[in-house]
Amino acid sequence: MLAVGIAMGTILMGWWSVPLVALAYGVALRRSRRPGLTAAASGAIAWGGYLGLAVIGGAPVGRFGGELAASMQIPGWAPFAATVIFPAVLAGLAAYLGARVGGRYLSSP
């Protein structure tokens, strides 16, 4: 469900919604075992799924990624890895901080 929320937030509001959704998740589920890890995996799944749907829809994702990699003189897989790692890092850190900082102020003494 978190991956769907991150994907929908990205579609509707842009990339900056990733840490906002994950922060809310971290605050809401501050007592869960690993909110940062769950949010990081969800971010990667959300953007990886979005890329997959773009490919299925006929977008030239492969060609663009290859041309981008060639122009930057990096391996062909690097743009795709960065596309999945970026939301994972954003979501993971935001959820972790939300659980730790938000949990301090919302939990009863």
Side-chain angles (χ1 to χ4, degrees), residues 34-107:
R34 300 195 193 301
L37 185 61
T38 301
S42 296
I45 290 167
W47 279 32
Y50 185 71
L51 259 179
L53 288 175
V55 169
I56 291 170
V61 173
R63 187 177 75 218
F64 175 73
E67 291 176 6
L68 179 63
S71 70
M72 297 175 70
Q73 299 178 352
I74 58 176
W77 54 265
F80 302 107
T83 300
V84 174
I85 292 170
F86 177 67
V89 171
L90 283 177
L93 290 174
Y96 177 80
L97 289 173
R100 297 303 168 253
V101 175
R104 284 188 196 158
Y105 298 108
L106 296 176
S107 55

